[in-house]
Amino acid sequence: MSMLSKHTHQQQAQLAAYCRDGETPTLEGITAGRIATYRRLVFNNVRDALDRSYPLAKNALRTKEWAVLVNDFFEQHRCAHPQIWRMPEELIGFVEHNQASLKVKHPFIIDLLTFEWKEIELHMMPNKSIPKVACKDPRKDAWVLNPEHEIMRFSYPVHQKNARMITPSDQGDYHCLGFRDQTEGKVHFINLTPLLANILELLAEAALPIETAYNKATAQSDVSTAYSDVAPALFTFYEKMQVKGLFIR
Amino acid sequence: MQHVGLGYRKDFGEAFFETPGLEPAFVEVAPENWFGVGGYWRKQLERVAERYPIYTHGLSLSIGSPDPLDRSLLRNIKTFLDDWEIDVYSEHLSYSQVDNAHLYDLLPIPFRKDAIAHVVDRIDQVQNFLGRPLILEIVSYYTPLAAEMTELEFINEILQQSGCGLLFDINNIYVNAFNHGYDAKAFIDGLHKKNVRYIHMAGHEQVADDLIIDTHGEAIINPVYDLYAYAIQQLDAPVPILLERDFNIPELDALKMEMQQLEAIAQAQWKHVDAE
Ligand SMILES: [Fe+2]
């Protein structure tokens, strides 16, 4: 049972609601002109967090469009995360469910927001325990995938192209891998073919030798190229990615 | 430094570790900015924690909120405090969440009897949950709301009834005295200072003839130093003092000089106690 009277509760709720929607509240004993300061401070907090998290989306929309989006979000959305740096994630769901015309105008918008958010999430996420492995023969032994990664699917190449250059004809099936390296904690993104995405999804479940992973992945797809034909290229890819920190040795 | 700590900000970068003589007595962080964080920033916090004791100053507890206490937030804070072996947890005497919406800013709790009972009850819950004393800060506010008593009566009543610690933010008292036209020294005289556990010092920005905003974006001004000297004369025992700087961050040498000035004033005041 709250010890607050209904009246006190309402006064507090009205001030908070005013900060978000700007509708004139009936507040007692306030100093003229001062509640607008609160509204401005609260708005700046939300806008700054969104601006910082989504520089690409902000740049992809017209200045006015981004300002309207930020304002709509501010007025209509109840921010749920107590950690302000996590709050911008909520913009994705907001656009998904409340911004139909923006999605029509910029069909890539959800992919772009997701891509930008994943970078923050991968950069900030808690450390995962890294398995210790001794890989002696990289051509035969199992490869261990860095668990601090995520495989994403996009309908637009937001990870490859400036969003302003994306056209409806770019629509397709894109796969993108994001991972955090262990040494510097930097986040890297690479474009994946569907087959590579498939291979990495298998590796995410269990460490596998290159050939085993390839054969399992091709068995699930319509790729029929024999392993021996792709082995050199595949091996080069693994080695290159290992240098970047995608695999644990 | 013996008494003066520094609010650790990500923007300090490597300069925090490399500025000669920048040796705060402790650093303060907001748990909300650090719990559940790994990778690069966790490593940085580990480097900080190796060198300095860590104090915390929370942002989203919303002790005066009409909403129920956020148990999941409290669990995350407790885990953070336990994992990093942190004893000092402070927060704001304000509210920042209503109707399940966070505002990420500090709204003024109505200075009312029922709000006192509400806050005192919640202080007790938080302290029990965290297994640590709660230290609450006097916040800057720009308007009262539905007040039925003075700010001073409100704060003193909470301190006396709950026994919680007081975070004595000298700049906030200066800002409030200016914005609401009262005498800062008289406010300090009347405050229940037995509960003071911690001091904050910061700069602010005057945005109009009659309005100062508590931005933490400027250097401390001289009248606030004077008020600080006045305030610590009235304390029986030394308490930690923090320099806060959140925006417009200068070279760390400039912050070091502010800290040295705070330290000198504190040492002059507390030299007898410090010597013991
Ligand atoms: Fe403060």
Side-chain angles (χ1 to χ4, degrees), chain A residues 207-228:
Chain A
L208 296 170
I210 300 179
E211 182 170 1
T212 317
Y214 179 81
N215 289 337
K216 273 192 159 189
T218 48
Q220 295 167 4
S221 75
D222 49 12
V223 178
S224 54
T225 318
Y227 175 69
S228 54

Side-chain angles (χ1 to χ4, degrees), chain A residues 2 14 21 30 37 72 84 86 104 112-113 120 124 133 148-149 158-159 165 172 191 202 227:
Chain A
S2 174
Q14 277 201 48
D21 63 27
I30 53 170
T37 298
D72 285 355
I84 191 169
R86 279 190 205 275
V104 171
L112 183 57
L113 292 171
I120 296 171
M124 297 292 275
V133 271
E148 297 180 348
H149 75 271
V158 291
H159 57 306
M165 304 298 153
N191 182 56
L202 291 168
Y227 175 69

Side-chain angles (χ1 to χ4, degrees), chain B residues 28 57 92 137-139 167-172 199-202 214 216 242 244:
Chain B
E28 186 200 86
H57 190 45
H92 301 89
E137 176 176 46
I138 299 174
V139 296
L167 203 176
F168 204 12
D169 187 309
I170 309 295
N171 179 60
N172 290 351
I199 288 175
H200 270 185
M201 287 290 286
D214 177 29
H216 301 173
L242 181 87
E244 304 181 276

